[in-house]
């Protein structure tokens, strides 16, 4: 028979499972053990202090809500944390969940018409005697400009966003449409604009809403016959931020109501910020009159970040999480995941979780294993850039020299070795390898491969280099 704490916790897990992604569930909830249940307090054991912090930071609202649901209003949660140093003694440390958390509503306020997140929210239009309606902005404080790393890939969108944030409704960028592929920072930038406006002008009514939520609310209002309230609510917003407008595709009624809201706001000098996964010209299923309005202001795209930006993003993330990782691990992550910042962050987090769970330090080895799991669906090979980087690090040469025309002996050797590995370990053609190595031709690459093969046979020390490097470069 199950113990009471196990019963309660397994019921909690059922709820949690429905509210977090599969990956998060496996990473953060499966390792938890229910220890005891006393006086409405459930004690759960977590594998490390990091784990505890992560839960507190990201899942506290969900945990609290679930616990109260299972144990009633007096229900509370305590953690027992296995401390790394006293691993054998398993000395538990209890930390009570604070009564309030920092995401909770700060001032009494009225919110969007529909239940948002974990709070039951009333319809703002039926409360009598209210002088000023305060709208909760629904902004995530982590998605600020400070936390948004600037790079070539996002320069236009970022600076347009910044300009809008400092003069909402007062620039030519109205609407500001930020578009780009998955995980490139659209949502982050959209929040950053809202946060910055709130910092500058707290009296402004800013609202962030996803297009799905907007659609749901609209449908709800039709069902309840409160469409006018819905429209009025949105028409009183000063800065309306709608995320992922491509989801309006095919939803004619929603588009129609949004069209009217858009017009009203635009005419009264209010700011609209929109995001989408593609440029207006490529959007399908959106009415022409809306598309043409999207183009009134500025459309700015977010592109995939270059290597330096990826490294900077990882460093930034580590800094805010208060973690340190070896430089080679950070670079390896940045080299391996290039097209999606969310994936990049996901890999970083899983890596830290892995190391925390298994009490292993984060090494390049662990990173390689992790990454393989992470990107196993896409056929992957090491890139020429990665090879060049490892070779240059090994010989302590700046990468620019490798791509230069210099004939210095040690540079020539490193260059030839990098070409040799590029031929061995990538599917790139000789010509392409040459092009990546400062514009050498295919004959030079071929010559390099032959030279390396010869030297390996005749020079023992040289063979040692190659064997070392092979280990460093290979993914497995
Ligand atoms: P999108 O909405 O385009 O799918 P998100 O805005 O959700 O992408 O970004 C995915 C993740 O990447 C978020 O955690 C976000 O904080 C992070 N991110 C994206 N761009 C940047 C950036 N320039 N600097 C720092 N973090 C970023
Ligand atoms: Mg998004």
């Amino acid at each position: 028979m199950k113990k009471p704490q196990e019963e309660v916790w397994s019921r909690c897990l059922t709820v949690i499972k429905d509210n977090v992604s599969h990956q998060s569930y496996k990473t953060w909830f499966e390792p938890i053990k229910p220890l005891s249940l006393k006086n409405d307090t459930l004690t759960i054991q977590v594998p490390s202090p990091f784990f505890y912090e992560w839960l507190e930071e990201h899942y506290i609202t969900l945990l609290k809500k679930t616990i109260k649901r299972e144990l009633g209003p007096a229900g509370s949660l305590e953690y027992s944390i296995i401390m790394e140093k006293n691993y054998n003694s398993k000395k538990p440390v209890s930390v009570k969940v604070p009564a309030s958390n920092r995401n909770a509503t700060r001032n009494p306020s009225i919110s969007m018409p529909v239940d948002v997140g974990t709070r039951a929210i009333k319809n703002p239009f039926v409360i009598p005697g209210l002088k000023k309606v305060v709208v909760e902005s629904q902004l995530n404080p982590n998605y600020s400009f400070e936390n948004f790393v600037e790079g070539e890939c996002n320069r236009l969108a970022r600076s347009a966003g910044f300009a809008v944030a400092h003069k909402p409704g007062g620039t030519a960028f109205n609407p500001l449409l930020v578009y780009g592929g998955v995980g490139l920072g659209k949502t982050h930038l959209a929040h950053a604009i809202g946060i910055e406006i709130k910092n500058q002008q707290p009296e402004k009514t800013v609202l962030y809403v996803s297009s799905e939520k907007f659609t749901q609310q609209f449908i709800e209002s039709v069902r309840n016959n409160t469409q006018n309230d819905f429209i009025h609510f949105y028409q009183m917003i000063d800065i309306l931020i709608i995320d992922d407008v491509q989801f309006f595709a095919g939803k004619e009624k929603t588009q129609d109501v949004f069209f009217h809201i858009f017009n009203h706001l635009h005419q009264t000098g209010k700011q609209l910020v929109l995001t989408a996964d593609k440029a207006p010209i490529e959007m399908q299923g959106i009415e022409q009159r809306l598309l043409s309005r999207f183009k009134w202001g500025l459309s700015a795209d977010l592109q995939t970040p270059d290597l330096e930006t990826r490294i900077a993003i990882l460093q930034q993330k580590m800094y805010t999480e208060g973690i340190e990782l070896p430089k080679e691990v950070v670079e390896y992550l940045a080299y391996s995941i290039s097209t999606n910042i969310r994936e990049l962050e996901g890999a970083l987090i899983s890596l830290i979780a892995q190391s925390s769970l298994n009490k292993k330090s984060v090494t390049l080895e662990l990173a390689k294993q992790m990454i393989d799991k992470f990107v196993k669906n896409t056929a992957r090979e090491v890139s020429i850039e990665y090879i060049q980087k490892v070779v240059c690090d090994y010989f302590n040469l700046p990468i620019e020299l490798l791509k230069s025309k210099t004939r210095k002996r040690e540079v020539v050797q490193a260059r030839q070795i990098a070409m040799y590995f590029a031929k061995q370990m990538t599917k790139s053609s000789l010509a392409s390898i040459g092009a990546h190595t400062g514009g050498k031709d295919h004959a030079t690459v071929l010559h390099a491969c032959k030279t390396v093969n010869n030297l390996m046979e005749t020079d023992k020390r040289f063979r040692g280099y190659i064997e070392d490097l092979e280990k460093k470069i290979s993914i497995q």
Side-chain angles (χ1 to χ4, degrees), residues 93-127:
V93 176
S94 289
V95 190
K96 265 200 180 136
V97 174
S100 71
N101 66 73
R102 56 201 179 89
N103 291 331
T105 320
R106 273 184 209 94
N107 37 29
S109 59
I110 299 171
S111 213
M112 294 208 287
V114 171
D115 200 15
V116 177
T118 59
R119 281 159 267 137
I121 283 157
K122 297 188 192 98
N123 185 325
F125 311 105
V126 295
I127 297 178

Side-chain angles (χ1 to χ4, degrees), residues 35-36 58 61 129 207 424 458 475:
L35 286 187
S36 66
H58 299 267
T61 318
L207 180 67
Q424 294 273 313
T458 53
I475 304 255

